[in-house]
Amino acid sequence: MSFLPPSDRPASQPPGAMPHQPGMPLPVRRLRDLPGPRQWPIVGNALQVQLDKVHQNVEGWVKHYGPMLHVRLGGFPLLVISDHELIATLLRDRPEGFRRPSRMQEIMSEMGIQDGVFVAEGEHWARQRRMVMASFAPGQVRAYLPALLGVAARLRTRWARAAGLGQSIELQPELMRFTVDAIAGLAFGTEVNTIESDEDVIQRHLDQIFPTIWRRSHAIVRYWKWFKLPRDRALDRSVKAVNVAIRGFMGDARLRLQDPARRAAPPNLLEAMIVAADEPGSGMSDDDVVGNVFTMLLAGEDTTATSLSWMIYLMSRNPHTLQRARQEVDSTLGDLQNWTADDLGKLDYLEACIHESMRIKPVGPFNVVQALKDTVVGDVRIRAGTSVVMVMRHDTLRDDTFPQADCFMPERWLDEATQLAPHHAKRVSMPFGAGPRICPGRYLALLEIKLVAAMLLQHFDITSVDTPDGGEADEHMALTMVPVGLKMRLKLRA
Ligand code: HEM
């Protein structure tokens, strides 16, 4: 299969090529014919990337070499692309044409984590995706709201205490407490409370697991296959403990699901997945449910907390947006315990703030797929197994697509300011991915973000959000692109 970009894009033509004649197929280039940073023997470009800044390294290359380039990391050739239409075409051609990189699946399975929907492929992925989607249906997500409101109320109490004592709040870890309690509570089907106590043992195990996945995915030498350091043995113990705990939670959930009313409207992710797996013909086993509980914890905690951190940071740098969002919250919402999904759905400006901050600070600034067969991407031929790095934050920061692209202007997502964004803005900015593997948790994530932001605006004044050196927030890439060291000070509203 070939993915030809529109023929009027000179940037995708080989240098020095004859002008393209309408109706004629574009000449096909080889990967190694593409421009790109100079490659060194054996290591290729590996020494030119810094793991925690890899997204900025690649974005810099795209600016310099254009929308398609060739990079090599050790023995692995990579095609890098930044055109949003071409990216969307590849993302849509899954699971048949492209897969997630096989390395991630190998690493997780080596660690003892069952395949979940994030790493599964082919028919196995399709079956898992059906089960997971049932637990994220809009009506289902609404059923999770009471649990989420309880978690938001606990966070309000904690922040009120910090405001009263004049203490600063470390933004990212603090928001992680919220998302951990929210997602772990839904995924385990039982209350998890790290906001009021530091005693959540499972979270301590998960804190070991997240960084190891990132480190091992990028390790040049996979030493742990031959010998284990103390930290690798600790990791094995952590994975085992979480697996045992999840099976325990599943046993409890199955007992609760003997109640037919509960089976008809499961109040958490775990029970919703069990119900979907129990459907005749689902092809899902208990192992699949365990793998997906793990997946929800991995995919749903950092991503949502980080998106919230970036949004609060950007809004605090643009105080008029805080003011407008607060007016909207004040005129729409009553007491927190009575908020409904419909009320939150009316917060259009706040939602625009979310889209705008994800355009400028997507937590996944790049995504990677691997070709399942020999194919042509744009006008470039690649072999089966070649990885394609898709730079998600390039077209989103172009002034010709989003005027004054560097400025945080939430109104560009509202009907009142259509000149500030293209009509297909949501097809250019894709913070949740696209195609059949688009993030299934996106509505839940939006709900959580709105919930915390609305609680913050309703009850507090943000006095400051400071970076460690007083400059712009630094971006640190691990599994997500996290702002470094933000501290927030709050005052209770008069
Ligand atoms: C603001 C928060 C979030 C962001 C920015 C985000 C972003 C993403 C992105 C970029 C992908 C890859 C999509 C693709 O390949 O096309 C993804 C996949 C996924 N996300 Fe999210 N996500 C968020 C929250 C969540 C939450 C809350 C959950 C679940 C509790 C979740 C579960 C998943 C799963 C299971 C996948 C894999 C889907 C598949 O491969 O079929 N995410 N997410």
Side-chain angles (χ1 to χ4, degrees):
M1 181 187 287
S2 157
F3 305 106
L4 291 177
S7 55
D8 59 351
R9 291 218 205 113
S12 66
Q13 288 191 8
M18 295 285 288
H20 175 241
Q21 302 296 318
M24 294 288 287
L26 282 169
V28 172
R29 291 185 280 174
R30 292 168 304 182
L31 184 54
R32 64 170 184 265
D33 295 336
L34 294 185
R38 186 163 168 204
Q39 298 177 5
W40 294 90
I42 303 173
V43 291
N45 304 103
L47 301 181
Q48 296 153 41
V49 293
Q50 191 188 332
L51 198 49
D52 65 346
K53 292 279 179 261
V54 58
H55 61 300
Q56 291 175 356
N57 299 143
V58 181
E59 285 168 0
W61 286 336
V62 168
K63 278 200 188 113
H64 196 267
Y65 296 104
M68 295 187 97
L69 59 130
H70 174 209
V71 171
R72 188 163 58 80
L73 294 182
F76 299 101
L78 305 174
L79 168 63
V80 178
I81 63 173
S82 67
D83 177 279
H84 66 273
E85 286 181 32
L86 195 53
I87 290 175
T89 315
L90 263 59
L91 291 177
R92 280 197 295 270
D93 188 23
R94 294 181 292 175
E96 295 81 10
F98 291 87
R99 58 166 297 160
R100 291 199 197 284
S102 51
R103 179 94 183 236
M104 177 82 117
Q105 187 180 25
E106 280 164 34
I107 298 259
M108 288 176 58
S109 118
E110 254 171 35
M111 286 167 71
I113 303 177
Q114 302 278 348
D115 276 6
V117 66
F118 196 90
V119 294
E121 290 295 333
E123 184 47 36
H124 192 207
W125 166 79
R127 282 201 304 271
Q128 297 217 4
R129 178 89 190 182
R130 275 195 293 278
M131 173 182 76
V132 166
M133 286 315 283
S135 63
F136 282 113
Q140 201 45 66
V141 172
R142 280 168 179 251
Y144 305 151
L145 185 61
L148 296 177
L149 285 174
V151 182
R154 291 207 299 264
L155 189 62
R156 179 181 59 184
T157 308
R158 184 175 162 96
W159 283 0
R161 198 177 321 122
L165 294 170
Q167 287 171 342
S168 66
I169 290 168
E170 289 190 43
L171 198 51
Q172 178 74 12
E174 196 73 10
L175 292 169
M176 276 293 285
R177 287 176 184 269
F178 172 82
T179 57
V180 164
D181 286 8
I183 300 295
L186 292 179
F188 297 147
T190 143
E191 189 173 279
V192 174
N193 188 348
T194 62
I195 290 179
E196 287 174 340
S197 115
D198 290 323
E199 285 312 303
D200 187 60
V201 178
I202 292 177
Q203 194 54 38
R204 280 217 295 278
H205 290 307
L206 287 169
D207 287 345
Q208 295 245 16
I209 295 169
F210 294 144
T212 309
I213 294 177
W214 174 249
R215 225 179 23 243
R216 289 192 176 179
S217 309
H218 296 87
I220 295 173
V221 181
R222 300 166 81 171
Y223 71 88
W224 60 90
K225 289 170 97 83
W226 296 284
F227 65 91
K228 297 206 168 175
L229 299 173
R231 73 174 183 194
D232 300 306
R233 285 195 290 274
L235 175 91
D236 289 346
R237 285 194 295 276
S238 287
V239 172
K240 196 167 168 200
V242 177
N243 275 328
V244 168
I246 293 176
R247 288 199 186 263
F249 289 129
M250 276 182 70
D252 298 344
R254 282 206 173 277
L255 284 178
R256 291 193 298 272
L257 283 170
Q258 286 171 358
D259 171 3
R262 197 161 177 121
R263 206 162 245 284
N268 55 60
L269 265 167
L270 175 62
E271 289 171 34
M273 279 197 283
I274 294 176
V275 170
D278 287 350
E279 282 293 304
S282 79
M284 291 287 93
S285 64
D286 277 5
D287 280 355
D288 293 304
V289 177
V290 173
N292 281 294
V293 168
F294 231 129
T295 299
M296 296 310 147
L297 301 172
L298 294 174
E301 293 183 353
D302 283 48
T303 45
T304 311
T306 304
S307 301
L308 255 164
S309 294
W310 281 122
M311 181 170 95
I312 293 171
Y313 166 73
L314 288 168
M315 290 179 80
S316 73
R317 291 287 184 279
N318 295 275
H320 65 284
T321 63
L322 280 175
Q323 231 168 46
R324 184 165 169 187
R326 170 177 282 175
Q327 273 162 12
E328 185 182 64
V329 165
D330 285 350
S331 61
T332 313
L333 300 177
D335 283 348
L336 192 148
Q337 66 268 24
N338 300 326
W339 292 357
T340 64
D342 286 340
D343 293 337
L344 293 165
K346 290 182 196 139
L347 302 175
D348 292 338
Y349 184 75
L350 193 55
E351 184 154 332
C353 293
I354 303 176
H355 293 309
E356 183 66 346
S357 62
M358 289 185 162
R359 177 183 71 81
I360 298 177
K361 301 288 186 186
V363 297
F366 62 89
N367 195 346
V368 185
V369 289
Q370 209 175 4
L372 284 166
K373 45 198 167 201
D374 292 355
T375 186
V376 177
V377 175
D379 62 343
V380 176
R381 186 180 302 288
I382 57 170
R383 289 185 183 284
T386 305
S387 290
V388 183
V389 178
M390 296 167 292
V391 180
M392 310 304 283
R393 187 173 60 166
H394 177 75
D395 287 4
T396 48
L397 290 185
R398 287 172 56 151
D399 284 333
D400 55 355
T401 314
F402 290 96
Q404 302 174 64
D406 284 343
C407 300
F408 180 73
M409 294 198 282
E411 59 275 21
R412 59 171 107 237
W413 297 92
L414 301 174
D415 291 343
E416 70 192 35
T418 47
Q419 76 284 3
L420 290 175
H423 68 280
H424 61 299
K426 287 191 181 158
R427 293 210 300 274
V428 183
S429 180
M430 299 177 273
F432 291 108
R437 299 195 79 148
I438 191 170
C439 174
R442 61 196 182 284
Y443 296 116
L444 177 61
L446 290 174
L447 187 69
E448 286 180 67
I449 294 174
K450 269 191 187 170
L451 204 58
V452 173
M455 178 275 282
L456 176 63
L457 291 162
Q458 193 179 50
H459 293 277
F460 301 95
D461 289 322
I462 300 180
T463 318
S464 62
V465 177
D466 294 325
T467 58
D469 62 2
E472 292 286 297
D474 201 12
E475 300 170 348
H476 176 99
M477 191 71 207
L479 277 174
T480 54
M481 183 184 83
V482 183
V484 177
L486 295 182
K487 288 199 173 163
M488 174 170 77
R489 283 187 183 275
L490 297 178
K491 229 173 51 200
L492 269 172
R493 264 178 89 179

